[in-house]
Amino acid sequence: MITQLKSGNVYDPHNKVFNLKKDIFIQDGKIINKKNIKFKIDKVINCTDKIVMPGAIDLHTHIGGGKVNIARLMLEEFHNEKDPSYDSSAIIAPSTLKTGLKYIEMGYTTCFEPALLPINARQAHAEMADIPFIDKGGYALLGNDDYFLNLLKNKSSQSTINDYVAFILKATQSIGIKVVNPGGINAFKFNQRALNVDEKSKYYDITPREIVQKLTRALYDLGVPHPLHVHCSNLGIPGNFLSTIETIKAANGLPIHLTHIQFQSYGNNGDKGFSSAAVEISNYLNKIDNLTCDVGQIMFGQTVTMSGDSMSQHRNHKHAHPKKWMCMDIECDAGCGVVPFKYKDKSFVNALQWAIGLEIFLLAEDPWKVFLTTDHPNGAPFTSYPHLIKLLMDKTFRNDILNQLPKDILNHTILHTLNREYTLNEIAIMTRSAPAKILGLKKKGNFSEGSDADITVYDKKINDIEEMFAHPILVIKDGKIAVENGQIKEYIWGKTHTVTPEYDKAIEKDLSKFFDKYHTMKLDNYIISDDEMNRLVGSPVYVNDCLRKRKQ
Amino acid sequence: MTSKNNNKNLVCPFCSLHCDDISVTTDNNSYKVNEKNNVCSKKIDSYNLNNRSITLPKKGSEFVTLSDALKNIHDLIKGHNETLIINHGVDLSGVRSMLNFASQRNCIIDHVNSKFLYQNIGVVQRTGYMATSLTETKNRADTIIVFGNKILDKSPRLLDKVITPKNSLCLKSKKEVLLIGDFSEKIVKDMKDKCNVTNIKFDLNMTNDLLNATLSSDLKNIKGLSKNNLAKIKKIIDKSKYLVATWTTSDFIKTRNPKKIISSISKFIVNHNKLSRAGCMPISGVLADATSTQALTWMTGFPSRIKHIEETFKHDRNAFNSEILIANKNIDVVIHISTINAGKLKINKNVKNIVLGHPNTSFTSMPDIFIPVGIPGIDYEGIMFRTDNVVSVALKGIRSLKLPTTKNILDRLA
């Protein structure tokens, strides 16, 4: 069956198409070229006065895994939403069903869980398999696991570390590697309460810098498209922009992605000891080619913070709202912490956090290097993306809100001086083409021939940009109509995206001994096969290409 | 049919540790655990077919075809108002299908062990909580407090795998283990070579007083515990660098206030983390409680006691309590799902009872319809969650009786 989306205003930044009136053709779930159409067109959808973009991609959203389920369980009193078309789970900790429905209704077709604990990978994938509509994937957490830290302590070769990283990607069915508070989660288990970039952990005698260096190198050597996804040291601490800059330097010019950088861009100036360092961070972002980031914008209101960073989450538990929280040490692998939190517009700190995130967006010279996220649900639930887009595209709207915030933040932010308004081109880049590129998803985020027919169509006539992005009139997933005029038309089940760089299987022998000696499960049981993903977990695997052959 | 003397590794579905290092030999659809000293061998072997096993569907006392059994179930549900599903233990695929079935037929779902679940999660839902897991405890915990003695019956290998393991990544000396409660002398004696064990025979009702007393610098006798014993406990706790508190809620259920005991342990651990490190490690029930809790929570937001009403799942831990529903005769039909339960299923004759159970399931009286289903990890592959809720295991199949799975049946009924 061939479907034609006719005469839409197409945004396809990957192919340098910006607001060009053209047709898109779909066959068997893929984009096809008009020249290659050999059969009659079965269905024509008139897209006159419509904006047509590839399906949006969220590269950092906590949608599956132990900590997400802890939040669901903890926040039972919030599960009282009344919308009859969903279950009653709260949007700050939605059920898998609600996650899928809300994403697809906004035109998002691919999402990535950024904190997939290797030992918890089976659960995270099983949860994500139950999210309808979207394709998904995860970044495996490394850098706090005792096996890796022992490799570093024992001065293992980079090649061995590369083998381990590649093994983890394969065994956990992941598409990338993330490090959270490098070495800090592990140090917390030995009762260290802070770990700066050049501070040695007491037990392993290793610095966060060494961890970042080894892991960025490993991913580069292996040709993994997505650079090391880094949640830096000292999250949320005033003055942490200095350790963020040191983390950037630790990559030694190799590709590195700093996540929810808003939480890592704090100065400590002023009488409250809290100020924006967005300018300093943006200077680095703008001048270093291999550096990318997602923002982790906060929005005012109730949410829940969830993180592998048990050190930070334990430190922050006194701010819990409501007053309950949970932290956990996990399996010599990592940790987690779940702390509900309410961002208040009357709070100096929260208002400044809001401004810092927007500053970073607006100071970024290249939209290919900065990604639109709220670190769902840490900064705000993902359903606030349309509102965030409006903040970026409408200076007046932005300043109206800024003017309602505590006046003293203006001494510590330059947001009111920034006149930039994002264009639709730039929004299309940062929500579609750029995340596809940084993740190595060749068939996503573009309308090239053979790409997945994941398409979002917005109504140009809707004047309010927030409303337009909140309610696309048509969402197509894998060539099938998932949403039409706000109504779900068909349930579609996505796949799991991975990468599988080569590795020397000898690493498995060493790991197997380590597991037999120190773990409470066998290595065989830890590894998730493609077959298991398909038959038991419930999500088939799609293996994306590496950038190149392994270097060492 | 499986070949004779085929050695395989079993991933055990029968307790919440889900050990995956158990060697079994299969022989024409029976199997035998090879490790004679394994305390779980007898239990695992008991699921082999015997002369009382039922491998074909039954309606009352009559054998029927699977199609007839399904038709009868269909008619029973259609002809009645309220259907309750009680989960006595099944793997992830069974829970997923249970939810799907419930959403088609507007059923209530409860787990038979929900009363224990709600004692534990109450702490997470009301206050702060510090948790740890099995491997952390094995490798990092220099001090472990075990509250109550049932824990070792429920999870027999907790001792050799976690509490007194041969190897430990970070510890140089023997663990300190405090057994609080009435433990047998044999257990204490067996542990003595492997750890520094201290058994305090103590009324668990007094747990809060005990833990509070350890925080005081001015020690006094408390009911049932001398000042000297208290000093001994305090010294061990104060010296610890990584302290773990472990319990199974069934040990507390007959105390005056189980919630208070669990809260006081949790508060004690939270407090201990101000200066040192510590974590709670409750051991959940043996009926795949964690699997049910995890899967229902991610699919609906709620861990148990849910009902499908007006196209969505609602939760009410009192209104959808299976025991109360049956006692008050608010239910017409009960579907029991029981793939790993060795105990006798309680069949209440005031309601219609359907059982999807393993072939060796025993009952207080025969249900209206029984369909034998496979055991996850024995008859088919599946996924279950371990007690610490962070590790899930891939169960293998080690025999091929060609029994349908719970998922097969529920999907056909939906």
Side-chain angles (χ1 to χ4, degrees):
Chain A
M1 175 172 163
I2 298 173
T3 303
Q4 177 184 14
L5 302 188
K6 195 174 176 191
S7 303
N9 291 67
V10 174
Y11 289 79
D12 180 13
H14 173 85
N15 291 309
K16 299 186 170 49
V17 173
F18 297 110
N19 195 17
L20 190 67
K21 198 169 266 293
K22 61 181 283 188
D23 298 347
I24 304 287
F25 297 92
I26 305 165
Q27 185 176 25
D28 299 330
K30 302 289 179 191
I31 303 293
I32 57 167
N33 195 317
K34 189 179 180 182
K35 285 185 289 188
N36 296 331
I37 294 174
K38 296 191 175 87
F39 304 101
K40 77 173 180 65
I41 292 167
D42 302 272
K43 184 171 182 173
V44 177
I45 300 173
N46 183 8
C47 290
T48 306
D49 289 331
K50 307 291 185 292
I51 291 166
V52 181
M53 292 185 186
I57 300 167
D58 193 344
L59 95 168
H60 189 109
T61 173
H62 295 282
I63 52 173
K67 64 197 176 312
V68 184
N69 234 19
I70 290 169
R72 293 183 183 115
L73 194 66
M74 180 189 285
L75 300 171
E76 189 176 294
E77 72 273 34
F78 289 87
H79 296 320
N80 55 11
E81 293 192 8
K82 295 289 185 281
D83 188 333
S85 49
Y86 303 100
D87 59 46
S88 59
S89 63
I91 196 59
I92 57 175
S95 67
T96 46
L97 171 67
K98 182 172 271 186
T99 302
L101 285 164
K102 286 289 186 187
Y103 262 119
I104 201 71
E105 284 184 356
M106 293 198 313
Y108 275 75
T109 50
T110 309
C111 299
F112 291 88
E113 163 56 54
L116 190 142
L117 274 64
I119 203 86
N120 187 240
R122 185 171 281 115
Q123 172 178 353
H125 286 305
E127 280 187 44
M128 290 194 283
D130 285 337
I131 300 175
F133 304 109
I134 57 172
D135 278 13
K136 59 281 272 184
Y139 315 144
L141 286 194
L142 285 181
N144 283 288
D145 52 310
D146 288 274
Y147 183 82
F148 174 77
L149 294 173
N150 269 306
L151 286 180
L152 260 58
K153 187 181 175 184
N154 297 331
K155 308 286 179 206
S156 300
S157 67
Q158 182 69 48
S159 175
T160 301
I161 289 166
N162 296 355
D163 285 331
Y164 178 54
V165 170
F167 163 81
I168 286 290
L169 286 165
K170 175 69 184 156
T172 66
Q173 299 286 356
S174 298
I175 195 169
I177 297 290
K178 183 189 187 191
V179 61
V180 173
N181 186 358
I185 301 168
N186 189 281
F188 180 55
K189 293 174 185 176
F190 293 97
N191 203 26
Q192 269 183 275
R193 302 296 167 126
L195 192 66
N196 217 333
V197 179
D198 289 309
E199 189 179 352
K200 287 190 170 182
S201 60
K202 283 178 192 159
Y203 186 79
Y204 282 107
D205 203 30
I206 291 164
T207 65
R209 185 183 298 276
E210 291 171 77
I211 294 167
V212 171
Q213 280 172 346
K214 292 293 181 185
L215 288 175
T216 49
R217 180 89 234 171
L219 291 166
Y220 178 77
D221 287 348
L222 293 169
V224 173
H226 192 46
L228 182 64
H229 198 93
V230 185
H231 159 141
C232 299
S233 314
N234 298 322
L235 181 114
I237 294 177
N240 67 5
F241 79 101
L242 291 171
S243 51
T244 304
I245 289 169
E246 288 308 311
T247 305
I248 294 168
K249 289 178 183 169
N252 291 329
L254 293 177
I256 185 169
H257 178 91
L258 301 192
T259 190
H260 41 68
I261 201 165
Q262 176 276 131
F263 292 109
Q264 300 288 158
S265 304
Y266 301 154
N268 52 8
N269 296 327
D271 54 355
K272 292 189 173 65
F274 187 69
S275 56
S276 171
V279 171
E280 290 86 343
I281 293 295
S282 298
N283 285 340
Y284 273 86
L285 182 65
N286 289 333
K287 79 179 178 197
I288 296 178
D289 286 341
N290 279 333
L291 173 63
T292 53
C293 72
D294 60 87
V295 172
Q297 177 67 33
I298 71 124
M299 297 290 177
F300 303 114
Q302 178 69 50
T303 193
V304 54
T305 66
M306 54 179 73
S307 173
D309 193 346
S310 46
M311 180 189 265
S312 293
Q313 291 293 77
H314 184 261
R315 188 176 57 234
N316 291 333
H317 78 255
K318 55 184 177 290
H319 303 299
H321 182 285
K323 290 283 175 205
K324 52 185 174 179
W325 53 276
M326 177 173 169
C327 288
M328 186 170 188
D329 298 327
I330 299 173
E331 292 296 276
C332 296
D333 196 30
C336 83
V338 177
V339 183
F341 189 80
K342 190 169 187 176
Y343 293 102
K344 298 174 183 133
D345 58 1
K346 300 286 183 268
S347 153
F348 169 84
V349 171
N350 298 163
L352 197 49
Q353 286 179 299
W354 178 85
I356 291 167
L358 293 173
E359 283 178 319
I360 292 167
F361 275 116
L362 297 167
L363 290 168
E365 291 167 3
D366 183 355
W368 288 87
K369 294 175 69 179
V370 59
F371 306 98
L372 189 140
T373 65
T374 56
D375 186 18
H376 163 82
N378 287 305
F382 62 83
T383 45
S384 57
Y385 289 167
H387 179 75
L388 175 54
I389 290 171
K390 186 171 179 179
L391 287 169
L392 298 178
M393 293 186 71
D394 185 339
K395 184 183 67 175
T396 308
F397 177 68
R398 183 166 71 228
N399 286 338
D400 284 349
I401 295 177
L402 180 61
N403 289 334
Q404 293 167 33
L405 301 180
K407 294 287 174 254
D408 46 353
I409 72 164
L410 297 178
N411 298 325
H412 302 287
T413 172
I414 59 163
L415 183 61
H416 53 293
T417 69
L418 300 175
N419 293 320
R420 181 176 176 187
E421 291 183 329
Y422 265 73
T423 64
L424 278 176
N425 293 345
E426 290 172 321
I427 296 295
I429 291 168
M430 73 197 315
T431 58
R432 274 85 174 164
S433 313
K437 183 184 170 198
I438 200 75
L439 288 161
L441 307 173
K442 291 180 183 165
K443 294 184 186 301
K444 298 280 179 195
N446 66 69
F447 290 139
S448 303
E449 182 163 31
S451 285
D452 294 342
D454 296 350
I455 302 169
T456 306
V457 180
Y458 303 102
D459 188 350
K460 253 174 87 173
K461 287 181 184 163
I462 298 176
N463 289 327
D464 182 3
I465 204 78
E466 181 175 343
E467 176 64 16
M468 186 189 93
F469 274 102
H471 301 292
I473 56 160
L474 184 70
V475 184
I476 294 174
K477 175 75 180 69
D478 290 330
K480 296 170 190 159
I481 295 178
V483 182
E484 191 171 19
N485 296 321
Q487 299 297 310
I488 298 294
K489 303 305 282 187
E490 182 180 356
Y491 273 76
I492 297 155
W493 296 92
K495 51 195 175 290
T496 298
H497 288 262
T498 67
V499 286
T500 55
E502 302 162 35
Y503 66 94
D504 183 346
K505 294 269 182 193
I507 192 84
E508 291 185 10
K509 278 189 187 163
D510 191 53
L511 269 161
S512 189
K513 281 183 203 158
F514 185 85
F515 267 67
D516 286 348
K517 210 167 168 184
Y518 300 120
H519 269 264
T520 44
M521 74 191 297
K522 287 192 159 296
L523 184 71
D524 287 355
N525 204 352
Y526 172 89
I527 296 169
I528 308 168
S529 68
D530 291 1
D531 178 55
E532 185 190 339
M533 283 292 290
N534 196 23
R535 290 191 303 109
L536 303 183
V537 171
S539 183
V541 171
Y542 181 86
V543 182
N544 290 273
D545 294 337
C546 284
L547 295 172
R548 67 184 94 80
K549 280 256 173 198
R550 177 176 169 161
K551 280 184 187 283
Q552 61 167 316
Chain B
M1 299 288 272
T2 50
S3 60
K4 197 173 180 178
N5 294 330
N6 190 3
N7 286 322
K8 292 180 177 177
N9 236 21
L10 173 78
V11 183
C12 178
F14 301 118
C15 99
S16 59
L17 296 185
H18 294 308
C19 300
D20 58 0
D21 56 353
I22 299 165
S23 166
V24 292
T25 301
T26 58
D27 179 3
N28 292 331
N29 283 331
S30 69
Y31 58 87
K32 186 128 196 76
V33 178
N34 292 327
E35 291 101 342
K36 295 294 172 206
N37 294 329
N38 189 312
V39 288
C40 305
S41 304
K42 205 173 158 190
K43 182 177 181 184
I44 297 168
D45 282 340
S46 74
Y47 288 84
N48 268 302
L49 295 186
N50 58 48
N51 54 11
R52 289 189 303 279
S53 302
I54 307 171
T55 55
L56 294 170
K58 285 184 106 172
K59 182 184 176 190
S61 55
E62 302 285 314
F63 285 106
V64 292
T65 64
L66 179 59
S67 301
D68 282 346
L70 291 171
K71 187 179 176 307
N72 275 289
I73 294 173
H74 187 81
D75 292 345
L76 265 184
I77 295 168
K78 205 175 164 187
H80 291 86
N81 290 327
E82 287 283 19
T83 301
L84 164 71
I85 303 172
I86 304 180
N87 182 358
H88 301 258
V90 72
D91 67 312
L92 174 62
S93 71
V95 179
R96 280 172 164 164
S97 291
M98 196 186 298
L99 196 84
N100 179 48
F101 176 79
S103 71
Q104 307 286 322
R105 304 293 186 133
N106 292 329
C107 302
I108 297 168
I109 297 177
D110 192 11
H111 190 284
V112 71
N113 281 347
S114 287
K115 58 179 176 290
F116 303 127
L117 166 78
Y118 284 113
Q119 304 292 343
N120 275 334
I121 65 167
V123 183
V124 181
Q125 292 181 333
R126 287 192 309 270
T127 179
Y129 188 65
M130 291 291 290
T132 191
S133 67
L134 297 179
T135 304
E136 292 291 353
T137 305
K138 173 180 178 175
N139 291 291
R140 241 177 282 278
D142 56 0
T143 305
I144 301 172
I145 311 179
V146 184
F147 292 92
N149 59 12
K150 282 192 189 142
I151 191 167
L152 300 178
D153 300 334
K154 288 218 161 201
S155 308
R157 295 194 62 209
L158 193 66
L159 265 186
D160 71 272
K161 286 185 77 174
V162 179
I163 296 178
T164 57
K166 275 187 201 153
N167 301 296
S168 194
L169 193 58
C170 314
L171 300 176
K172 301 277 184 281
S173 53
K174 281 182 178 178
K175 288 175 191 275
E176 294 285 346
V177 179
L178 281 169
L179 302 174
I180 310 287
D182 193 10
F183 288 80
S184 74
E185 281 182 20
K186 185 180 180 308
I187 282 181
V188 178
K189 195 178 159 203
D190 288 350
M191 287 174 76
K192 271 190 176 154
D193 291 339
K194 300 167 192 162
C195 64
N196 299 321
V197 61
T198 308
N199 183 205
I200 307 290
K201 291 192 187 300
F202 189 71
D203 178 2
L204 291 173
N205 280 302
M206 300 293 290
T207 302
N208 188 37
D209 299 67
L210 167 65
L211 295 176
N212 280 340
T214 64
L215 299 174
S216 168
S217 53
D218 180 23
L219 295 182
K220 289 175 185 151
N221 292 340
I222 57 171
K223 193 180 166 190
L225 194 64
S226 69
K227 189 175 162 181
N228 283 349
N229 270 339
L230 190 57
K232 204 183 322 178
I233 295 172
K234 181 175 167 58
K235 192 176 170 192
I236 291 168
I237 289 171
D238 287 351
K239 222 176 87 182
S240 72
K241 290 186 172 155
Y242 197 104
L243 173 72
V244 171
T246 186
W247 69 89
T248 184
T249 310
S250 56
D251 256 322
F252 301 148
I253 211 73
K254 286 184 180 161
T255 60
R256 287 191 294 274
N257 194 341
K259 261 185 199 165
K260 189 180 171 191
I261 293 175
I262 293 168
S263 291
S264 61
I265 296 171
S266 171
K267 199 173 156 190
F268 167 76
I269 291 293
V270 166
N271 189 61
H272 202 76
N273 276 287
K274 286 179 182 164
L275 295 173
S276 182
R277 287 306 326 278
C280 294
M281 191 183 67
I283 302 297
S284 66
V286 297
L287 299 178
D289 311 32
T291 306
S292 176
T293 301
Q294 289 291 327
L296 290 185
T297 300
W298 82 58
M299 290 190 285
T300 69
F302 303 108
S304 190
R305 294 184 180 165
I306 52 174
K307 182 183 180 183
H308 196 256
I309 307 168
E310 293 169 357
E311 299 188 12
T312 179
F313 280 98
K314 304 281 183 196
H315 165 72
D316 190 320
R317 66 178 63 177
N318 299 313
F320 305 144
N321 176 335
S322 53
E323 285 179 22
I324 295 172
L325 284 166
I326 294 171
N328 292 346
K329 299 180 185 173
N330 291 332
I331 284 296
D332 307 302
V333 179
V334 178
I335 303 176
H336 301 268
I337 293 172
S338 181
T339 66
I340 52 169
N341 189 353
K344 230 173 214 185
L345 283 195
K346 198 175 164 189
I347 300 297
N348 187 311
K349 283 301 190 186
N350 290 327
V351 295
K352 297 289 180 191
N353 289 277
I354 297 159
V355 176
L356 311 184
H358 64 84
N360 293 6
T361 306
S362 58
F363 322 95
T364 53
S365 60
M366 201 61 199
D368 297 275
I369 299 165
F370 174 73
I371 298 181
V373 292
I375 300 171
I378 299 292
D379 296 308
Y380 66 95
E381 297 172 324
I383 291 174
M384 277 190 180
F385 287 73
R386 220 171 61 176
T387 182
D388 47 20
N389 287 303
V390 291
V391 174
S392 45
V393 294
L395 307 164
K396 300 168 185 173
I398 59 164
R399 67 179 184 191
S400 46
L401 287 177
K402 307 277 189 269
L403 290 168
T405 65
T406 303
K407 174 181 161 52
N408 295 150
I409 300 298
L410 289 176
D411 289 355
R412 285 181 70 174
L413 288 169

